[in-house]
Amino acid sequence: MAAKKISLLLNRTVENLGIVGDIVKVRPGYARNFLLPHVLAEAPTPSKIERLKEARQTALAELAHIRQSREELVARMNAVTVTIARSCNDQGILYGSVSQRDIADALQAAGYDVGVRSVRLSQSIRRVGEYHVSIQFDKDLRTDVTLKVDADRSLDEEREEIEIDEEGEMVERRPRRRPARDDAPSGQEAP
């Protein structure tokens, strides 16, 4: 059986719930344990609603301004490529991973005001390569950027293969020399 929800008037804007002056329906535990003790909400009355009308208009104007700036940012971020250099082994596997914080910091360094919570990763990035990362501000404000993860040093494409002998010891590969012929004069190598 689901608990009944109660109606509360928000005194301040609460992320993912509503803005100041909204009447919201929440579960009793959320109201009792978070909203009421932090004075974020109270029981709605006509006088309290009237008192918060001006704060609500200010919050709506601020939200409209934030929305407009985010729309402009999404338009500017069309086809953006960001590069991050990381330490990795010879196969291109990173020591660690690239996180949402790393991507947000790289975008901010490039002049795009993107917060950590706006970066959406479907899985952690643990290899050198090129990735498409979603940036989502609101449900309908979304764009993709290209992330290039480069090694902090050059990776040798043509590295020598490692040989291991019967005892399990690593064998060093040396260039093969032709054996000397028996009929060559002593002290000289055969051509």
Side-chain angles (χ1 to χ4, degrees):
M1 184 169 174
K4 289 196 171 204
K5 293 191 174 192
I6 60 173
S7 294
L8 291 176
L9 173 68
L10 293 178
N11 291 327
R12 290 193 300 206
T13 299
V14 179
E15 192 172 345
N16 296 327
L17 185 59
I19 63 170
V20 62
D22 277 353
I23 296 176
V24 295
K25 290 186 178 280
V26 295
R27 292 192 172 153
Y30 184 54
R32 180 179 58 245
N33 296 324
F34 181 69
L35 295 176
L36 296 174
H38 290 101
V39 194
L40 297 174
E42 59 189 351
T45 62
S47 63
K48 291 176 184 175
I49 293 171
E50 191 63 37
R51 177 176 48 100
L52 293 175
K53 274 195 175 185
E54 188 176 319
R56 180 175 172 73
Q57 293 303 319
T58 306
L60 285 172
E62 186 178 320
L63 283 175
H65 177 69
I66 290 171
R67 170 84 180 183
Q68 181 183 5
S69 64
R70 286 180 174 171
E71 287 173 349
E72 291 169 1
L73 182 62
V74 166
R76 276 189 6 202
M77 290 178 65
N78 194 15
V80 168
T81 300
V82 179
T83 304
I84 296 177
R86 286 288 186 261
S87 299
C88 66
N89 65 13
D90 291 337
Q91 288 81 31
I93 299 172
L94 302 179
Y95 299 127
S97 64
V98 176
S99 67
Q100 292 169 304
R101 161 91 41 214
D102 298 326
I103 297 168
D105 290 345
L107 285 168
Q108 287 178 356
Y112 301 100
D113 186 26
V114 176
V116 177
R117 297 182 79 190
S118 299
V119 178
R120 305 282 197 249
L121 286 179
S122 58
Q123 61 187 23
S124 60
I125 297 174
R126 298 187 179 273
R127 297 187 75 87
V128 171
E130 194 168 297
Y131 300 90
H132 293 285
V133 178
S134 294
I135 308 296
Q136 183 172 356
F137 296 109
D138 293 328
K139 290 180 182 177
D140 60 335
L141 282 180
R142 181 182 187 132
T143 187
D144 287 337
V145 296
T146 302
L147 173 69
K148 283 182 65 179
V149 180
D150 290 339
D152 61 348
R153 59 188 173 80
S154 65
L155 297 177
D156 296 331
E157 293 297 325
E158 295 180 25
R159 57 182 182 270
E160 291 187 22
E161 295 295 320
I162 299 172
E163 285 188 33
I164 299 182
D165 62 8
E166 290 91 32
E167 291 88 37
E169 299 292 320
M170 188 170 71
V171 177
E172 214 177 293
R173 283 185 122 180
R174 294 188 181 154
R176 292 179 49 156
R177 291 188 176 172
R178 284 197 273 162
R181 282 197 260 160
D182 291 337
D183 59 331
S186 62
Q188 293 182 3
E189 270 191 36

